[in-house]
Amino acid sequence: MADDKDVLRDVWFGRIPTCFTLNQDEVTEREAEAYYLLLPRVSYLTLVTDKVKKHFLKVMRTEDVEEMWFEYEGTPLKWHYPIGVLFDLHASNSVLPWSITVHFKNFPDRDLLHCPSSSVIEAHFMSSIKEADALKHKSQVVNDMQKKDHKQLWMGLQNDKFDQFWAMNRKLMEYPTEEGGFRYIPFRIYQAMSDRPFIQKLFRPVSPEGNAYTLGDLLKEMYPAAITNDGEQKRYQVVIHGIEPLLETPLQWLSEHLSHPDNFLHICVVPTPSD
């Protein structure tokens, strides 16, 4: 892969300043103060919020505590989406710090998956990596890895170790030069105003004639409403890791450099804020 290591580092170390407050309906023995944390964009809420849980448990009785879950402005936050995706999808135009409400009761089973332990997060993460590699390399790279290699990917994410993760993830980003890119690009397009979870279809990074497809080409095919035509007012922002990449950016480059650790390119289409 092209070695734009600074881009990889910027993506990995992206942080969102966040203020966690306890839902006012929770029963506490004394007032619960807010808790502030810099959340890593590339991680998962349930993986990085042990400190939040400990903070609020200090003011609660054990019998009042069930599974912890999070909500932003009435929307339960899906822990199995990367944190950066949750922010870009629901709060990209809000004032920082991001204000998240913490709950310990009334778990919304219809909206969220249960997450009883970090092994559930690991299983979800590894399943995404395997799915991405099936699209990119027919699963050849992941299948050639040993169990300790899989563990290195997970431990790199869990412990926020950029070098440990990328020493192994590099292999998942390689492809034969003559092919010009992966077999298919692992991507998901999320829409802020949709009940549909996301769009995910097969899409190659290179045309049959050998030309590189761009982010704009992908959107024209998958979500044409996101493209602003000449003379039209811009209705949507297309956001990846908190930025709006140029639509002319080659998809292969985006997949190599702006994918999350799960190896998917997560693209959020959100309404342009009204002035």
Side-chain angles (χ1 to χ4, degrees), residues 55-157:
H55 171 76
F56 289 120
L57 288 185
K58 287 178 195 162
V59 301
M60 298 183 71
R61 293 178 312 185
T62 314
E63 60 265 34
D64 294 322
V65 175
E66 294 166 20
E67 185 173 348
M68 181 171 69
W69 59 280
F70 305 97
E71 165 242 307
Y72 172 69
E73 292 193 344
T75 302
L77 296 173
K78 299 180 190 301
W79 67 260
H80 63 290
Y81 287 8
I83 290 168
V85 173
L86 291 171
F87 180 80
D88 292 342
L89 192 57
H90 300 299
S92 55
N93 294 307
S94 65
V95 179
L96 292 172
W98 187 17
S99 202
I100 291 181
T101 305
V102 181
H103 295 260
F104 286 97
K105 273 213 168 75
N106 304 320
F107 191 92
D109 292 288
R110 293 180 64 174
D111 298 306
L112 301 182
L113 300 173
H114 285 279
C115 184
S117 70
S118 68
S119 61
V120 176
I121 312 168
E122 181 180 1
H124 167 72
F125 173 67
M126 287 313 303
S127 161
S128 293
I129 281 189
K130 288 172 183 174
E131 184 181 350
D133 196 51
L135 291 166
K136 292 198 283 193
H137 310 109
K138 299 185 182 175
S139 301
Q140 287 163 348
V141 180
V142 140
N143 289 345
D144 285 345
M145 286 180 175
Q146 297 176 6
K147 197 163 176 67
K148 68 176 174 60
D149 300 333
H150 292 176
K151 206 72 185 172
Q152 182 172 331
L153 288 166
W154 166 246
M155 296 305 286
L157 176 70

Side-chain angles (χ1 to χ4, degrees), residues 8 82 161 215 217-218 252:
L8 302 181
K161 302 287 189 200
L215 176 60
D217 294 326
L218 176 75
Q252 177 66 34

